[in-house]
Amino acid sequence: MSKPSLHVAVIGAGLGGLAAAISIRKAGHMVTILEQAPQLGEVGAGIQIPPNSSRILNRWGILPEIEAASVRPHDFILRSYRDGRVLSIQNMLPYAIDRYGSPYLHIHRAEYHKILVSLAQRLGVNIELSSIVTGINFQTPIVYRKGKPKFRADLVVGADGLKSVCREALLGRPDPPKLTGDLAYRITIKASDMAKHPLLGDLVARPAINYWMGPSGHAVCYLLKGGGLYNIVLVCPDNLPQLVNAQKADLSEMREFFKNWDPKLRALLDLVQDTSKWRLQNSVELHSWSHPGGKFTMLGDAVHATLPYLAQGAAQAVEDGAVLGLLLGRIQHSSQIPDILTIYEFMRKPRTTRVVKGSTNLRDIFHFPDGDLQKERDRQLVEHQNAPFEGYPNRWRDPVFQEYLFGYDCEKEVENAWNIYEEGCWPMTTGKFKANL
């Protein structure tokens, strides 16, 4: 019996939606992306691609193209906010390749998005722009769009981000993003300007991810675009007006918050000529990502929006899309779609929940106020640098959590899950029962 060829609608052409479209198309199914924007593109600056994500990109054959637009950082460096003293280092080059077989990369978000769009289009994914979703019939399924014909598919995947229409449709009520109490300044400056400064030359001479941790805030900085740009993200308490989620920032206000921090960081901020600030938001975990009808599911920020502190938000969305496509590649009959969505959610939800909670917890670790907790964190970082333990404050050096983050292999996870399913041992599925009819 030949495998079915499904038509899958993916709502949203962000990184997660594109990953799903690519993986599902590579599995042999037709894919149409419904994107609300009139043209494709991504806003923002730097994004990190950890080994659990670059492993997927390598298997899709685009890692060389990604690397050509990326920087490989040598180290994660955690610093004290007071004087920049190094508290902990985790090597990434060559460690990531040696340990996990995949690199850790920094890339501009727009470049990353462009490469994924190109791959999707080469594979034959259809992208329909200006597709503003107004409703979903989950049973059929049908996607309703403003001013456009309704769209029928065998499966609908919601990948429309934090402000998700799909999420609200599934819940049957409004569910706006939740405030976290933090905002972020996102900045890029020319690395050439830094190289001329006596305090900043070393930051661009050897690519690294530098974190300064301080009371109620932190800074994370790294090189982009082959070393030509330096990406800076500053996190501090949210003071944006109510109902305003982004606006141009006052440079003096930004510098005032960091006025007592490391002179190196202050020198870096003196080079900033323009910036905006964005409210950091997330969402409450859903009971389920899928509709009981078995023809609709979601992925990425639509279901597990996370704070950026672990730099895993996009990576988790790409994993979601890769896993869903790999599962659909094993389908034998369209009646298995509900079972596949059950397996997909069972595989992905606990992992993304742990990452979301881990990221929120890392905010607390980074932002300790002056006092005993901060001193103890710093002591543990310094004294256990060479023998980190489970729960070590540098989460990328925690031997257990690092393996959990970076060692995840979508193909192996799907293979193991499918073997269990074929043995008739996967809970909440009907596959073995139907096969015996």
Side-chain angles (χ1 to χ4, degrees), residues 171-394:
L171 290 172
R173 58 174 172 79
D175 189 41
K178 304 301 185 288
L179 302 181
T180 65
D182 285 346
L183 64 77
Y185 296 90
R186 294 188 172 100
I187 303 159
T188 56
I189 60 177
K190 293 180 180 179
S192 58
D193 291 340
M194 295 172 59
K196 301 171 188 175
H197 196 289
L199 289 177
L200 303 178
D202 63 316
L203 293 180
V204 294
R206 177 182 168 91
I209 314 166
N210 279 280
Y211 288 85
W212 282 263
M213 305 179 294
S216 301
H218 74 275
V220 55
C221 311
Y222 51 84
L223 281 166
L224 289 175
K225 286 193 179 269
L229 291 175
Y230 201 66
N231 188 73
I232 305 167
V233 179
L234 308 172
V235 176
C236 56
D238 182 359
N239 64 357
L240 282 164
Q242 189 175 9
L243 303 180
V244 175
N245 292 323
Q247 68 177 26
K248 295 289 287 184
D250 182 341
L251 293 179
S252 61
E253 177 189 78
M254 176 194 74
R255 292 176 181 132
E256 175 67 19
F257 183 85
F258 295 96
K259 67 180 181 180
N260 295 319
W261 288 45
D262 178 18
K264 186 187 292 284
L265 179 63
R266 285 188 278 125
L268 188 60
L269 299 187
D270 284 342
L271 296 179
V272 178
Q273 298 179 1
D274 182 69
T275 186
S276 295
K277 54 185 180 181
W278 284 264
R279 179 168 274 144
L280 296 180
Q281 299 173 296
N282 60 9
S283 55
V284 175
E285 183 175 5
L286 293 179
H287 173 70
S288 175
W289 297 359
S290 305
H291 188 272
K295 297 178 181 178
F296 173 86
T297 193
M298 290 186 289
L299 60 78
D301 281 357
V303 281
H304 53 75
T306 180
L307 291 170
Y309 306 128
L310 278 173
Q312 279 280 334
Q316 293 304 306
V318 170
E319 282 184 11
D320 289 345
V323 166
L324 184 58
L326 289 166
L327 286 169
L328 288 169
R330 294 174 178 258
I331 194 169
Q332 300 294 324
H333 192 276
S334 59
S335 65
Q336 291 178 315
I337 294 176
D339 283 356
I340 283 175
L341 299 189
T342 296
I343 297 167
Y344 160 72
E345 185 171 328
F346 191 92
M347 289 179 64
R348 297 299 305 154
K349 197 167 186 290
R351 175 168 169 82
T352 59
T353 296
R354 184 173 176 184
V355 170
V356 168
K357 291 181 177 179
S359 191
T360 301
N361 181 61
L362 189 57
R363 172 182 63 181
D364 298 336
I365 293 172
F366 278 177
H367 294 183
F368 279 142
D370 292 339
D372 291 343
L373 285 174
Q374 185 190 104
K375 291 176 181 177
E376 176 60 14
R377 176 202 67 194
D378 293 356
R379 183 198 66 80
Q380 290 182 11
L381 286 169
V382 172
E383 293 187 9
H384 295 273
Q385 163 69 19
N386 294 326
F389 51 87
E390 184 175 3
Y392 185 63
N394 182 346

Side-chain angles (χ1 to χ4, degrees), residues 90-218:
Q90 171 57 54
N91 181 255
M92 278 293 131
L93 180 65
Y95 178 82
I97 290 287
D98 293 346
R99 177 67 183 83
Y100 297 106
S102 301
Y104 200 109
L105 304 170
H106 295 149
I107 191 170
H108 198 287
R109 182 180 287 268
E111 289 287 336
Y112 191 10
H113 187 265
K114 181 180 177 181
I115 292 168
L116 290 183
V117 168
S118 178
L119 175 59
Q121 291 176 330
R122 291 198 305 271
L123 291 171
V125 172
N126 182 39
I127 302 176
E128 296 195 10
L129 301 175
S130 300
S131 291
I132 300 172
V133 174
T134 59
I136 303 170
N137 181 324
F138 295 108
Q139 299 290 350
T140 315
I142 295 175
V143 180
Y144 299 96
R145 298 176 290 172
K146 182 179 179 180
K148 287 180 176 286
K150 58 188 177 183
F151 193 93
R152 295 179 180 270
D154 299 300
L155 171 65
V156 175
V157 179
D160 54 342
L162 176 64
K163 299 175 182 178
S164 173
V165 173
C166 295
R167 179 187 176 98
E168 292 191 340
L170 182 64
L171 290 172
R173 58 174 172 79
D175 189 41
K178 304 301 185 288
L179 302 181
T180 65
D182 285 346
L183 64 77
Y185 296 90
R186 294 188 172 100
I187 303 159
T188 56
I189 60 177
K190 293 180 180 179
S192 58
D193 291 340
M194 295 172 59
K196 301 171 188 175
H197 196 289
L199 289 177
L200 303 178
D202 63 316
L203 293 180
V204 294
R206 177 182 168 91
I209 314 166
N210 279 280
Y211 288 85
W212 282 263
M213 305 179 294
S216 301
H218 74 275

Side-chain angles (χ1 to χ4, degrees), residues 14-27:
L15 298 175
L18 287 166
I22 290 165
S23 187
I24 295 168
R25 182 70 187 120
K26 287 175 76 68

